[in-house]
Amino acid sequence: MIIADPWHGLKAFTAARIALGRTGTAIPMQEVLRFKLAHAHARDAVHSSLDITAFPWEINLLHSNAADRAEYLQRPDKGRQLQESSRLSLTPGHADIGIILVDGLSATAVNHHAVPVLAYLFPMLQAKKISCARIQLVQQGRVAIGDEIGELLGVKLVLVLIGERPGLTSPDSLGAYLTWQPRPGLTDEARNCISNIRPEGLPYQLAAEKMFYLINEALRLHLTGVMLKDNYSLRIS
């Protein structure tokens, strides 16, 4: 007989695995199977690939120094460096911002969420006359690869949209990283991060509005990272 957990009502407030109930001293088989399915989804996300046909814009396809997924997972440093042929495909311009889509640890997240988020963001940038370089799409990349790309593009800012490390409740979470004056050697304190972008987490429109707020503040103050505070929620409260 399955014994209900008295904390069951709390499940309405979190996707975490709580109040699973029990069968004798064990977890019910249904919950065990749900856990195994979630684990399989997370593993699939790590090994997923970018769907190049999913993006309705003119894009430039780039590749990191990681030759394949196995090397990408074993050598994070190679995922932060551009392949030489990719470096040669980039030329500097005069755009304010470079938008870079990176598979990261969940290409599924980029395939599913990058287009709807940017559909909200692009009209805001256009209305403010913030110019964008051609969109770059990176295979086998890490967040910091945006620094090298941004320097080669000659942009003031880079916005990296990347698949985050899958969790057992979120195999398709998208992250956004904003960096002022990108260049190799920067570390995470130089960036602003918006995480958990997906319908079950941070909705597309709100994510785009937060990005737009931070982009405006970065261009106004000439900085990002720990010195740039995300006061967007205070502005709309």
Side-chain angles (χ1 to χ4, degrees), residues 3-230:
I3 301 171
D5 193 301
W7 286 10
H8 184 78
L10 296 177
K11 291 173 73 72
F13 303 100
T14 179
R17 283 179 169 76
I18 63 170
L20 301 180
R22 60 186 174 89
T23 302
T25 59
I27 297 172
M29 179 58 68
Q30 184 179 42
E31 295 298 337
V32 172
L33 294 175
R34 285 176 178 166
F35 178 85
K36 288 181 178 293
L37 179 62
H39 186 258
H41 285 320
R43 288 178 60 90
D44 287 347
V46 169
H47 293 281
S48 59
S49 300
L50 289 170
D51 178 8
I52 299 173
T53 65
F55 308 106
W57 319 286
E58 182 182 357
I59 59 174
N60 187 33
L61 184 61
L62 306 174
H63 204 288
S64 76
N65 260 337
D68 52 33
R69 201 63 175 169
E71 186 172 49
Y72 170 82
L73 294 172
Q74 294 169 13
R75 292 286 305 273
D77 57 312
K78 291 196 173 185
R80 301 184 187 107
Q81 304 162 357
L82 273 178
Q83 198 175 66
E84 184 61 24
S85 60
S86 292
R87 286 179 54 85
L88 296 175
S89 73
L90 298 172
T91 54
H94 304 285
D96 295 316
I97 185 169
I99 296 177
I100 304 165
L101 310 181
V102 185
D103 51 7
L105 287 166
S106 176
T108 300
V110 182
N111 294 337
H112 289 176
H113 308 313
V115 172
V117 169
L118 293 177
Y120 282 108
L121 180 61
F122 281 147
M124 300 181 203
L125 297 177
Q126 291 166 359
K128 192 73 173 181
K129 294 183 170 55
I130 297 173
S131 58
C132 295
R134 183 180 179 186
I135 293 177
Q136 310 295 318
L137 184 64
V138 185
Q139 296 173 314
Q140 315 295 2
R142 304 274 177 173
V143 172
I145 203 166
D147 298 336
E148 185 177 9
I149 295 170
E151 183 179 55
L152 291 169
L153 290 175
V155 295
K156 300 173 185 175
L157 279 166
V158 288
L159 175 64
V160 174
L161 300 183
I162 187 169
E164 297 181 315
R165 184 184 304 276
L168 291 175
T169 58
S170 56
D172 63 341
S173 179
L174 185 72
Y177 292 82
L178 188 70
T179 309
W180 172 258
Q181 289 188 338
R183 58 198 181 277
L186 293 178
T187 49
D188 286 343
E189 81 276 359
R191 318 183 202 287
N192 289 85
C193 175
I194 302 171
S195 63
N196 197 30
I197 301 169
R198 58 193 182 103
E200 300 83 4
L202 184 65
Y204 299 142
Q205 183 172 356
L206 180 55
E209 289 171 354
K210 287 173 72 70
M211 290 177 205
F212 182 64
Y213 171 81
L214 289 171
I215 288 168
N216 272 303
E217 289 296 281
L219 290 171
R220 182 175 70 88
L221 299 172
H222 294 184
L223 53 83
T224 52
V226 295
M227 299 301 293
L228 178 59
K229 304 305 178 185
D230 181 1

